[in-house]
Amino acid sequence: MPITDYASLLRSARNQEQPQRLLFTFTQAQAQPGGQGKSLTPVMCADKLPEELGSFETLKEESKQMQTHWDVVFVAGLAGQHGQPPAPHDCEAPLRAMVTAIEQGRIDSLLAFDRSGDLLRFS
C-alpha cells in the first residue's frame, strides 16, 4: 500500500502482519551559517501505537502540550513480534538512532510531514 498522506500511513501501520509502534521525531528548521539554506534539528520524540492516533490535526494538537515549536515531523515504524507490538522501552534505541540519522542527513528511509500534514519529499 503506497503511503501518500498521514491517513494512509496509519492504515498501512494498522494492516501490517506484526503490530507496529510508530516513532516520531519532531524537528525545527534552523538557518545555516551564512544563510545557505536550513537544517532540521530534532527537538522532541514520541512513540505511539497506531490505535492511539487519530488525524494529523490531533497529532499536532497533542504536540502543542510539549510547548516546543516544530516544523517537520519524521516518522518510522517499528514492528513487534509474535503478535505483540513493541513495548515503549523497546523504542528508546530506535528513537536515538532516528535522531542521529536526521542530524546526519540520512533521512531517505523516513517519512516526513510538514505542519500542514503534507507528505514531504527530499531530494
Side-chain angles (χ1 to χ4, degrees):
M1 162 187 286
I3 296 173
T4 57
D5 57 19
Y6 185 75
S8 64
L9 165 67
L10 294 184
R11 280 192 302 275
S12 178
R14 291 174 180 144
N15 290 325
Q16 295 299 308
E17 185 175 318
Q18 291 294 329
Q20 303 284 304
R21 189 171 283 276
L22 294 177
L23 309 178
F24 296 88
T25 299
F26 297 83
T27 64
Q28 283 181 353
Q30 298 180 337
Q32 291 280 59
Q36 298 293 330
K38 294 187 175 186
S39 64
L40 294 170
T41 303
V43 292
M44 64 182 165
C45 296
D47 64 271
K48 295 270 191 178
L49 295 170
E51 297 76 28
E52 297 174 324
L53 296 163
S55 69
F56 189 82
E57 282 301 314
T58 302
L59 177 72
K60 197 161 103 173
E61 284 302 313
E62 283 183 28
S63 73
K64 287 181 182 177
Q65 295 173 10
M66 301 306 290
Q67 299 180 350
T68 300
H69 175 77
W70 60 272
D71 297 296
V72 174
V73 60
F74 289 90
V75 186
L78 184 62
Q81 296 179 357
H82 311 295
Q84 295 297 314
H89 68 272
D90 294 330
C91 299
E92 293 171 18
L95 278 169
R96 279 194 303 275
M98 192 173 171
V99 166
T100 299
I102 293 166
E103 290 172 339
Q104 295 175 350
R106 295 181 290 110
I107 57 174
D108 53 323
S109 65
L110 303 172
L111 292 173
F113 296 90
D114 66 12
R115 288 190 64 83
S116 299
D118 294 326
L119 183 63
L120 300 175
R121 305 241 188 255
F122 296 99
S123 52

